[in-house]
PDB file of all heavy atoms in Angstrom:
ATOM      1  N   PHE A1170       1.198   4.103  -2.968  1.00 90.00           N
ATOM      2  CA  PHE A1170       0.979   5.530  -2.698  1.00 90.00           C
ATOM      3  C   PHE A1170       2.189   6.360  -3.149  1.00 90.00           C
ATOM      4  O   PHE A1170       2.037   7.373  -3.840  1.00 90.00           O
ATOM      5  CB  PHE A1170       0.725   5.750  -1.205  1.00 90.00           C
ATOM      6  CG  PHE A1170       0.746   7.192  -0.797  1.00 90.00           C
ATOM      7  CD1 PHE A1170      -0.326   8.028  -1.088  1.00 90.00           C
ATOM      8  CD2 PHE A1170       1.848   7.725  -0.127  1.00 90.00           C
ATOM      9  CE1 PHE A1170      -0.307   9.376  -0.724  1.00 90.00           C
ATOM     10  CE2 PHE A1170       1.883   9.061   0.235  1.00 90.00           C
ATOM     11  CZ  PHE A1170       0.791   9.891  -0.062  1.00 90.00           C
ATOM     12  N   ASN A1189       8.243   2.155 -24.563  1.00 97.00           N
ATOM     13  CA  ASN A1189       8.445   0.708 -24.766  1.00 97.00           C
ATOM     14  C   ASN A1189       8.332  -0.109 -23.479  1.00 97.00           C
ATOM     15  O   ASN A1189       9.090  -1.067 -23.268  1.00 97.00           O
ATOM     16  CB  ASN A1189       9.790   0.439 -25.440  1.00 97.00           C
ATOM     17  CG  ASN A1189       9.855   1.031 -26.835  1.00 97.00           C
ATOM     18  OD1 ASN A1189       8.849   1.102 -27.531  1.00 97.00           O
ATOM     19  ND2 ASN A1189      11.035   1.483 -27.232  1.00 97.00           N
ATOM     20  N   TYR A1192       8.273  -4.078 -23.236  1.00 98.00           N
ATOM     21  CA  TYR A1192       9.434  -4.966 -23.193  1.00 98.00           C
ATOM     22  C   TYR A1192       9.667  -5.561 -21.799  1.00 98.00           C
ATOM     23  O   TYR A1192      10.433  -6.509 -21.644  1.00 98.00           O
ATOM     24  CB  TYR A1192      10.702  -4.225 -23.625  1.00 98.00           C
ATOM     25  CG  TYR A1192      10.798  -4.002 -25.121  1.00 98.00           C
ATOM     26  CD1 TYR A1192      11.090  -2.747 -25.639  1.00 98.00           C
ATOM     27  CD2 TYR A1192      10.619  -5.053 -26.019  1.00 98.00           C
ATOM     28  CE1 TYR A1192      11.200  -2.535 -27.014  1.00 98.00           C
ATOM     29  CE2 TYR A1192      10.714  -4.859 -27.385  1.00 98.00           C
ATOM     30  CZ  TYR A1192      10.999  -3.599 -27.880  1.00 98.00           C
ATOM     31  OH  TYR A1192      11.097  -3.394 -29.233  1.00 98.00           O
ATOM     32  N   VAL A1233      19.395   6.762   8.230  1.00 88.00           N
ATOM     33  CA  VAL A1233      18.973   8.162   8.159  1.00 88.00           C
ATOM     34  C   VAL A1233      17.519   8.267   8.617  1.00 88.00           C
ATOM     35  O   VAL A1233      16.652   7.562   8.093  1.00 88.00           O
ATOM     36  CB  VAL A1233      19.106   8.710   6.717  1.00 88.00           C
ATOM     37  CG1 VAL A1233      18.608  10.149   6.644  1.00 88.00           C
ATOM     38  CG2 VAL A1233      20.552   8.606   6.247  1.00 88.00           C
ATOM     39  N   PRO A1234      17.240   9.136   9.620  1.00 89.00           N
ATOM     40  CA  PRO A1234      15.863   9.279  10.100  1.00 89.00           C
ATOM     41  C   PRO A1234      14.892   9.591   8.961  1.00 89.00           C
ATOM     42  O   PRO A1234      15.207  10.346   8.053  1.00 89.00           O
ATOM     43  CB  PRO A1234      15.957  10.466  11.082  1.00 89.00           C
ATOM     44  CG  PRO A1234      17.388  10.464  11.520  1.00 89.00           C
ATOM     45  CD  PRO A1234      18.175  10.007  10.333  1.00 89.00           C
ATOM     46  N   ALA A1261      19.279 -10.913  -3.410  1.00 92.00           N
ATOM     47  CA  ALA A1261      18.964 -10.612  -4.813  1.00 92.00           C
ATOM     48  C   ALA A1261      18.448 -11.856  -5.530  1.00 92.00           C
ATOM     49  O   ALA A1261      17.435 -11.809  -6.249  1.00 92.00           O
ATOM     50  CB  ALA A1261      20.196 -10.055  -5.523  1.00 92.00           C
ATOM     51  N   GLY A1277      27.431   1.294 -11.167  1.00 73.00           N
ATOM     52  CA  GLY A1277      27.598   1.347  -9.716  1.00 73.00           C
ATOM     53  C   GLY A1277      27.527   2.736  -9.113  1.00 73.00           C
ATOM     54  O   GLY A1277      27.341   2.877  -7.911  1.00 73.00           O
ATOM     55  N   THR A1278      27.695   3.739  -9.907  1.00 72.00           N
ATOM     56  CA  THR A1278      27.641   5.120  -9.425  1.00 72.00           C
ATOM     57  C   THR A1278      27.197   6.002 -10.584  1.00 72.00           C
ATOM     58  O   THR A1278      27.163   5.559 -11.736  1.00 72.00           O
ATOM     59  CB  THR A1278      29.016   5.576  -8.895  1.00 72.00           C
ATOM     60  OG1 THR A1278      28.879   6.855  -8.274  1.00 72.00           O
ATOM     61  CG2 THR A1278      30.054   5.672 -10.018  1.00 72.00           C
ATOM     62  N   GLY A1290      28.799  -7.041 -11.397  1.00 83.00           N
ATOM     63  CA  GLY A1290      27.775  -7.533 -10.470  1.00 83.00           C
ATOM     64  C   GLY A1290      26.418  -7.762 -11.103  1.00 83.00           C
ATOM     65  O   GLY A1290      25.760  -8.779 -10.844  1.00 83.00           O
ATOM     66  N   SER A1298      20.914 -16.137 -11.860  1.00 90.00           N
ATOM     67  CA  SER A1298      19.510 -16.271 -11.473  1.00 90.00           C
ATOM     68  C   SER A1298      18.636 -16.707 -12.651  1.00 90.00           C
ATOM     69  O   SER A1298      17.492 -17.100 -12.462  1.00 90.00           O
ATOM     70  CB  SER A1298      18.978 -14.944 -10.937  1.00 90.00           C
ATOM     71  OG  SER A1298      18.918 -13.981 -11.975  1.00 90.00           O
ATOM     72  N   ALA A1342      29.339 -10.572 -20.699  1.00 93.00           N
ATOM     73  CA  ALA A1342      27.932 -10.283 -20.398  1.00 93.00           C
ATOM     74  C   ALA A1342      27.742  -8.816 -20.030  1.00 93.00           C
ATOM     75  O   ALA A1342      26.773  -8.178 -20.463  1.00 93.00           O
ATOM     76  CB  ALA A1342      27.451 -11.177 -19.251  1.00 93.00           C
TER      77      ALA A1342
END
Side-chain angles (χ1 to χ4, degrees):
F1170 169 76
N1189 296 328
Y1192 284 131
V1233 178
T1278 188
S1298 67

